[in-house]
Amino acid sequence: MRLSRRKFLGLTGAATLVATCSPIALAGQTPRNALYEQTSPGLKDLSALARQRSTMLGYPINLNFPPAAFFKWREKLNTAGLDQFNFNNVGDPFKKGHFSYNTHDFEKELIERFGTIYGFAQKKVWGFLSNSGTDSNMHGIYIGRTLLHYRTGTLPKIYFTREAHYSIQILSNVMNLDRVVVDTEADGSMDISDLEQKLSANTDYPALVVATVGTTFKGAIDSIDGIQSKLKGRDYYLHLDAALFGGYLPHTPFADELLQIRRTDQSPRYHSIAVSCHKFFGYPSPAGLFMTSQEIFEEFEAQFAKIHDPQYILQVPGTITCSRDSVKPAEFYFFSSDSELSRQKSDARLMLDNAGYLHKEMLTHLKHLEPERTGQRSPIVYFRKPSEEIVDRYTLAVMQSDRKHKTTAYAHVVVMPHVSKKTLDRFLEDLSRQ
């Protein structure tokens, strides 16, 4: 009962069976109207939020409605029975297991399609659709921790910057890893010289490095090749947190930032990558892509098998999480189609163009706010915190930041696909009035 894209329409009878034999249907009850009445205040609140979504500027969420074709795809999946009874993507989507009510075929093909986009060797990528970007980061860090411990007999130290996503702090604590916080350059990217010094101070420990491709607040990009140049000659694992930027960079002139295989000598530039589905893509539920090479996964699996008895599901699952959502991989499969990739390219161009427009206008008319953008690759503009009224009206994220030897409150705008130039003009006008 693996629900593949080729045979899922054959399950339409299952949906009919569920509708006919449900306890509600058998009891002759129609509680739906009552349910709507109970939740009507909440529905009104949701409608208001939907109308206001164009003014949400502070967080990396694409609030555009997905295209109509996505909802038609959802209907097809629903008609086939998906999400009407208990499917479960437990286990490795690349291996046959005993529990066959899953969407592993969709998931496997989804990972292979995105693996090509991120420059993994063809048919030599492993991964799955996770619950979130944090879940993807967890798997990258866990695989790195496991492999380095196995290779050296010593737990690694984990290296990241203060500008990295806060999930890295949480995960390093969960996995009992000693942290080494690396300094940053002025733009928020990892200071490669400081990394070198801190690696030299910890030569007895393998290095698990988390590089950020698009830091949370400033939108800086850590230099993958710069980091790797300082790791030569030692045991290391390099994981990329590319939550937002990983969605759109492949559709820009900066696509090489995320290539897993180096063009010159075909060597790997990093070991694993995490990308969020609900940020740039606009998938309407938290989810994440996690990808690594087949070679890395097979080495990890050999160690993972020592702590996992495969008898129950007839395979070593490869994932920390056991039961996994079957609906999300089948739905997100839609975003890997040729038409969707074309739309994503258009969205990426619009985002970066509008971010450039916002930055230029602020430099021209609101220079006192000291607006900054880390470069043409980033959709983020950060500046001195405006009034609380504007922060609330536009749902701006605010953080304290050290700048010119002073701690100052800053806000930022993340120009996502739902943010139009008209909205930015209104925002600029409000800023000029404060």
Side-chain angles (χ1 to χ4, degrees), residues 37-254:
E37 288 172 7
Q38 292 169 15
T39 60
S40 57
L43 288 175
K44 290 177 182 176
D45 290 344
L46 289 176
S47 297
L49 286 173
R51 290 193 298 272
Q52 296 165 9
R53 70 189 190 282
S54 66
T55 60
M56 205 285 281
L57 304 184
Y59 292 89
I61 301 293
N62 180 356
L63 292 181
N64 276 340
F65 290 126
F70 170 73
F71 295 100
K72 290 180 180 178
W73 174 246
R74 263 186 168 179
E75 287 176 11
K76 287 183 179 180
L77 293 170
N78 188 262
T79 300
L82 186 64
D83 208 21
Q84 298 210 31
F85 61 96
N86 198 336
F87 277 67
N88 192 321
N89 271 26
V90 62
D92 183 345
F94 287 74
K95 288 193 177 79
K96 181 174 175 56
H98 197 227
F99 190 83
S100 56
Y101 291 86
N102 60 55
T103 59
H104 279 169
D105 285 349
F106 282 112
E107 193 169 21
K108 176 177 178 290
E109 190 168 345
L110 182 66
I111 293 301
E112 288 177 342
R113 288 185 178 189
F114 277 98
T116 299
I117 289 171
Y118 295 112
F120 283 83
Q122 193 170 16
K123 299 292 184 180
K124 293 185 178 180
V125 61
W126 183 90
F128 65 101
L129 198 85
S130 71
N131 293 316
S132 64
T134 298
D135 190 7
S136 295
N137 282 331
M138 176 175 68
H139 280 81
I141 293 171
Y142 182 66
I143 289 175
R145 177 186 183 275
T146 301
L147 292 183
L148 292 174
H149 191 206
Y150 160 68
R151 293 171 187 169
T152 68
T154 302
L155 279 177
K157 289 184 183 288
I158 185 168
Y159 295 75
F160 58 93
T161 74
R162 290 182 180 85
E163 300 286 342
H165 191 263
Y166 63 88
S167 67
I168 309 304
Q169 301 167 25
I170 296 168
L171 294 169
S172 63
N173 185 62
V174 168
M175 296 190 204
N176 197 31
L177 292 171
D178 286 341
R179 305 176 190 174
V180 181
V181 179
V182 183
D183 290 344
T184 59
E185 302 286 0
D187 69 353
S189 62
M190 186 178 287
D191 183 334
I192 303 302
S193 296
D194 188 60
L195 172 66
E196 183 177 28
Q197 291 178 19
K198 285 174 175 169
L199 287 167
S200 297
N202 293 285
T203 54
D204 293 337
Y205 297 88
L208 200 173
V209 182
V210 178
T212 306
V213 180
T215 58
T216 304
F217 195 76
K218 294 180 179 178
I221 295 179
D222 294 343
S223 171
I224 299 167
D225 296 328
I227 291 169
Q228 199 183 55
S229 71
K230 304 305 179 186
L231 293 167
K232 290 178 180 177
R234 67 182 298 156
D235 291 295
Y236 75 93
Y237 185 97
L238 179 55
H239 172 70
L240 262 57
D241 179 9
L244 166 62
F245 285 47
Y248 71 84
L249 279 178
H251 305 293
T252 72
F254 314 110

Side-chain angles (χ1 to χ4, degrees), residues 251 335 337-349:
H251 305 293
F335 290 85
S337 66
D338 289 343
S339 61
E340 273 305 288
L341 294 176
S342 176
R343 184 177 70 87
Q344 289 160 28
K345 185 173 183 178
S346 176
D347 280 351
R349 182 173 59 250

